[in-house]
Amino acid sequence: MTDKWNYQLPTKEQKLKKDELSKRFGLSPAVCLLMVQRGITTEQEVRQFLNPNLRDLHDPFLYPDMRKAVDRLNQALGNKERIMIYGDYDVDGTTAVALVYKFLEQNTWSSHLDYYIPDRYDEGYGISDKGIEYAHETGVSLIISLDCGIKAIKKIAYAKSLGIDFIICDHHMPDDVLPDAVAILDAKRSDSSYPYEHLSGCGVGFKFMHAFAISNGIDFSSLRSLLDLVVVSIASDIVPITGENRIMAAYGLRQLSHNPSKGLKGIIDICGLSGKEITPSDIVFKIGPRINASGRMMNGKEAVDLLLAKDFKSAQEMSESIDQYNDDRRELDKKITDEAYSIIDEDPQMATRKILVVFNREWHKGVIGIVASRLTERYYKPVIVLTESTGYVSGSARSVTGFDIYKAIESCRDLLLNFGGHTFAAGVTLLEENLELFRSRLEAFADEYMEEEQMIHTLDIDMALKFSEIDNKLLYDLKRMSPFGPENQKPVFCSFDVRDFGSSKLVGKELEHIKLELIDDSTGDIISAIAFGMHPYNDYIKSGKPFDICYTIEENVYNNKASIQLLIKDIRMNDNHVSRNS
């Protein structure tokens, strides 16, 4: 299944530090080694990691321009100016708009607030002329942009010519020249000394509202209740779950699981997550896609309407509509993905290219980011999927570990009308006449900067365990390492020379999965496991020969009884398993 396992034996220093932390904190040695491997080595770091606390959030006034932003907002509220909250149409943008609008509505008694989400098809990503003109027509004199705006130099100059000020709250990479806004809150600014630069767009909005609350003597508790929106943005936008993100995600998940807003409760109910402890994975695969479906299939404003719902009945009705959008999105996604597979598989030149660029003017713009992700998973190469939008070629890019797709696209900026994004995901717009040159320039960039090894899917393994080391204590301590996500991934383990205990069997509608009972030859311990979609290994497993496994450790609840179960990620036969010393 996987091309390469990457497993490094712990160093002597790591083992000593592991033993020290295990003795000091009474934690499983394996969990202490995991923390050491992740750079958590001091007592203070361990305490902060295991016990995320809102008191450890940074002072929001450390952001460049934060004082200017708060002063301008206070001035607008004092003068009863009309204020527009403007955000992108994805999960991060819509949650950010909902958070800022909700907080200001609840804490300022202003009746001069409006919110705006650009139409993905008519206006495209970010600040639009149409949005600015709507603001001008409705008497808006201050726009707070969230999750967008950092590159909108011309648009913000246009707004200023109409007497509209901008406060930009963004987390994307800025260019050397910044827009002429009243304030720009972006920790990636070259002049920023803010201690953490990986907040989501909604997270930046949260920091702005925190500074506003401090300025106006508003109790922090009114912000705390909005952390369910922040964690949905953190998980969906795939930002690192470290530092401030880890703190806000931990509190946000508790809020989401036990006391979510009415709008999010509507989505949770329709996802079948009611009564469960919600994880980042639930957000990524269930909650986030439904919020996104609104902007993909119709208009993202519907998602904000839902997130701001004030009663359960309307939240339920809007959730049902958004769930239908998600079903429609899934059908479209599958159709376009299959068409993209055909383009790539039927073109022999594609096999030799390091970056895959596919274009079909008929494809639905709302799902091409998802399609790009699926293509990257299948071919394990950077992928750009393009379609026609308002007369231009527009699309989404996704990348693989170690290759910065944003820099690759930036190297072609002279060919582009617009672009933006991150290391692993980006968006791009260009004229169709420049498409072939864009493709060849990207390929030249990849030839220079991309190594062959980066196109081999590697499974990173944290450590090797014997079955005797896997117990309820380890499971409990592993839970304390959550929430898991980028830069704090769920730990992956491996065990060598295990065998079928005799009762493993194929399960599932089409007998595509294997339910395993495994024995560790070295200790005699037996443990249950599940291997989804791995039926081709069944004959080898039933032969009784030894094999190696890599897996995550899960809690399986059946008939109200909890037990440990391994979730198998890959299997290696005994004759080609990973070297014990690699």
mmCIF file of all heavy atoms in Angstrom, residues 92 125 147-148 150 170-174 186 188 237 420-422:
data_model
loop_
_atom_site.group_PDB
_atom_site.id
_atom_site.type_symbol
_atom_site.label_atom_id
_atom_site.label_comp_id
_atom_site.label_asym_id
_atom_site.label_seq_id
_atom_site.Cartn_x
_atom_site.Cartn_y
_atom_site.Cartn_z
ATOM 1 N N ASP A 92 -13.110 28.721 6.751
ATOM 2 C CA ASP A 92 -12.362 29.693 7.542
ATOM 3 C C ASP A 92 -12.991 31.080 7.437
ATOM 4 O O ASP A 92 -13.182 31.782 8.431
ATOM 5 C CB ASP A 92 -10.906 29.714 7.074
ATOM 6 C CG ASP A 92 -9.973 30.414 8.066
ATOM 7 O OD1 ASP A 92 -10.394 30.648 9.221
ATOM 8 O OD2 ASP A 92 -8.823 30.706 7.694
ATOM 9 N N TYR A 125 -12.432 34.691 -5.495
ATOM 10 C CA TYR A 125 -11.851 34.736 -4.148
ATOM 11 C C TYR A 125 -11.511 36.170 -3.730
ATOM 12 O O TYR A 125 -11.087 36.990 -4.542
ATOM 13 C CB TYR A 125 -10.582 33.881 -4.108
ATOM 14 C CG TYR A 125 -9.751 34.080 -2.876
ATOM 15 C CD1 TYR A 125 -10.093 33.445 -1.684
ATOM 16 C CD2 TYR A 125 -8.660 34.946 -2.880
ATOM 17 C CE1 TYR A 125 -9.356 33.653 -0.531
ATOM 18 C CE2 TYR A 125 -7.913 35.156 -1.732
ATOM 19 C CZ TYR A 125 -8.270 34.505 -0.565
ATOM 20 O OH TYR A 125 -7.550 34.715 0.578
ATOM 21 N N ASP A 147 -9.803 36.617 6.558
ATOM 22 C CA ASP A 147 -9.287 35.513 5.745
ATOM 23 C C ASP A 147 -9.018 35.948 4.305
ATOM 24 O O ASP A 147 -8.915 35.111 3.421
ATOM 25 C CB ASP A 147 -10.260 34.319 5.788
ATOM 26 C CG ASP A 147 -9.671 33.044 5.176
ATOM 27 O OD1 ASP A 147 -8.463 32.817 5.362
ATOM 28 O OD2 ASP A 147 -10.423 32.293 4.518
ATOM 29 N N CYS A 148 -8.923 37.229 4.067
ATOM 30 C CA CYS A 148 -8.623 37.725 2.715
ATOM 31 C C CYS A 148 -8.248 39.198 2.810
ATOM 32 O O CYS A 148 -8.447 39.829 3.847
ATOM 33 C CB CYS A 148 -9.824 37.547 1.777
ATOM 34 S SG CYS A 148 -11.320 38.399 2.298
ATOM 35 N N ILE A 150 -5.045 40.597 2.033
ATOM 36 C CA ILE A 150 -3.641 40.957 2.219
ATOM 37 C C ILE A 150 -2.963 41.346 0.902
ATOM 38 O O ILE A 150 -1.959 42.061 0.898
ATOM 39 C CB ILE A 150 -2.861 39.814 2.929
ATOM 40 C CG1 ILE A 150 -1.519 40.301 3.448
ATOM 41 C CG2 ILE A 150 -2.699 38.610 2.018
ATOM 42 C CD1 ILE A 150 -1.598 41.355 4.515
ATOM 43 N N ASP A 170 -5.927 38.847 8.202
ATOM 44 C CA ASP A 170 -5.567 37.773 7.266
ATOM 45 C C ASP A 170 -4.436 36.941 7.846
ATOM 46 O O ASP A 170 -3.753 37.350 8.793
ATOM 47 C CB ASP A 170 -5.159 38.377 5.917
ATOM 48 C CG ASP A 170 -5.419 37.451 4.738
ATOM 49 O OD1 ASP A 170 -5.594 36.233 4.958
ATOM 50 O OD2 ASP A 170 -5.433 37.936 3.594
ATOM 51 N N HIS A 171 -4.232 35.767 7.253
ATOM 52 C CA HIS A 171 -3.133 34.908 7.709
ATOM 53 C C HIS A 171 -2.350 34.349 6.530
ATOM 54 O O HIS A 171 -1.528 33.463 6.690
ATOM 55 C CB HIS A 171 -3.680 33.764 8.583
ATOM 56 C CG HIS A 171 -4.551 32.781 7.844
ATOM 57 N ND1 HIS A 171 -4.370 31.420 7.942
ATOM 58 C CD2 HIS A 171 -5.592 32.959 7.002
ATOM 59 C CE1 HIS A 171 -5.272 30.807 7.199
ATOM 60 N NE2 HIS A 171 -6.029 31.720 6.615
ATOM 61 N N HIS A 172 -2.621 34.876 5.347
ATOM 62 C CA HIS A 172 -1.895 34.441 4.155
ATOM 63 C C HIS A 172 -0.606 35.257 3.996
ATOM 64 O O HIS A 172 -0.435 36.288 4.629
ATOM 65 C CB HIS A 172 -2.776 34.601 2.911
ATOM 66 C CG HIS A 172 -3.987 33.720 2.937
ATOM 67 N ND1 HIS A 172 -5.240 34.179 3.274
ATOM 68 C CD2 HIS A 172 -4.133 32.401 2.686
ATOM 69 C CE1 HIS A 172 -6.110 33.181 3.216
ATOM 70 N NE2 HIS A 172 -5.454 32.094 2.873
ATOM 71 N N MET A 173 0.267 34.753 3.121
ATOM 72 C CA MET A 173 1.547 35.428 2.903
ATOM 73 C C MET A 173 1.343 36.757 2.180
ATOM 74 O O MET A 173 0.719 36.809 1.124
ATOM 75 C CB MET A 173 2.472 34.541 2.055
ATOM 76 C CG MET A 173 3.083 33.386 2.825
ATOM 77 S SD MET A 173 4.158 33.919 4.173
ATOM 78 C CE MET A 173 5.424 34.792 3.259
ATOM 79 N N PRO A 174 1.855 37.858 2.744
ATOM 80 C CA PRO A 174 1.735 39.161 2.062
ATOM 81 C C PRO A 174 2.834 39.331 1.020
ATOM 82 O O PRO A 174 3.855 38.643 1.050
ATOM 83 C CB PRO A 174 1.917 40.156 3.210
ATOM 84 C CG PRO A 174 2.784 39.446 4.201
ATOM 85 C CD PRO A 174 2.480 37.969 4.069
ATOM 86 N N ASP A 186 -1.811 40.728 10.332
ATOM 87 C CA ASP A 186 -1.295 39.516 9.694
ATOM 88 C C ASP A 186 0.078 39.233 10.298
ATOM 89 O O ASP A 186 1.021 40.008 10.110
ATOM 90 C CB ASP A 186 -1.198 39.698 8.172
ATOM 91 C CG ASP A 186 -0.884 38.395 7.443
ATOM 92 O OD1 ASP A 186 -0.256 37.499 8.052
ATOM 93 O OD2 ASP A 186 -1.279 38.256 6.268
ATOM 94 N N LYS A 188 2.212 37.211 9.482
ATOM 95 C CA LYS A 188 3.233 36.876 8.490
ATOM 96 C C LYS A 188 3.848 38.123 7.859
ATOM 97 O O LYS A 188 4.715 38.007 6.983
ATOM 98 C CB LYS A 188 2.647 35.950 7.421
ATOM 99 C CG LYS A 188 2.290 34.553 7.941
ATOM 100 C CD LYS A 188 1.878 33.629 6.797
ATOM 101 C CE LYS A 188 1.665 32.207 7.280
ATOM 102 N NZ LYS A 188 0.414 32.022 7.999
ATOM 103 N N ASP A 237 -9.042 24.437 7.986
ATOM 104 C CA ASP A 237 -8.027 25.137 7.199
ATOM 105 C C ASP A 237 -6.658 24.468 7.296
ATOM 106 O O ASP A 237 -5.693 24.939 6.726
ATOM 107 C CB ASP A 237 -7.928 26.609 7.639
ATOM 108 C CG ASP A 237 -7.715 27.538 6.454
ATOM 109 O OD1 ASP A 237 -8.471 27.435 5.479
ATOM 110 O OD2 ASP A 237 -6.778 28.358 6.488
ATOM 111 N N GLY A 420 -2.741 33.113 -4.639
ATOM 112 C CA GLY A 420 -2.579 33.229 -3.189
ATOM 113 C C GLY A 420 -2.644 31.858 -2.561
ATOM 114 O O GLY A 420 -3.032 30.877 -3.205
ATOM 115 N N GLY A 421 -2.254 31.791 -1.281
ATOM 116 C CA GLY A 421 -2.361 30.504 -0.602
ATOM 117 C C GLY A 421 -1.225 30.218 0.349
ATOM 118 O O GLY A 421 -0.603 31.129 0.906
ATOM 119 N N HIS A 422 -0.941 28.917 0.506
ATOM 120 C CA HIS A 422 0.016 28.424 1.482
ATOM 121 C C HIS A 422 0.992 27.465 0.804
ATOM 122 O O HIS A 422 0.908 27.201 -0.393
ATOM 123 C CB HIS A 422 -0.692 27.652 2.606
ATOM 124 C CG HIS A 422 -1.851 28.359 3.221
ATOM 125 N ND1 HIS A 422 -1.692 29.356 4.141
ATOM 126 C CD2 HIS A 422 -3.199 28.192 3.066
ATOM 127 C CE1 HIS A 422 -2.890 29.776 4.534
ATOM 128 N NE2 HIS A 422 -3.806 29.089 3.887
#
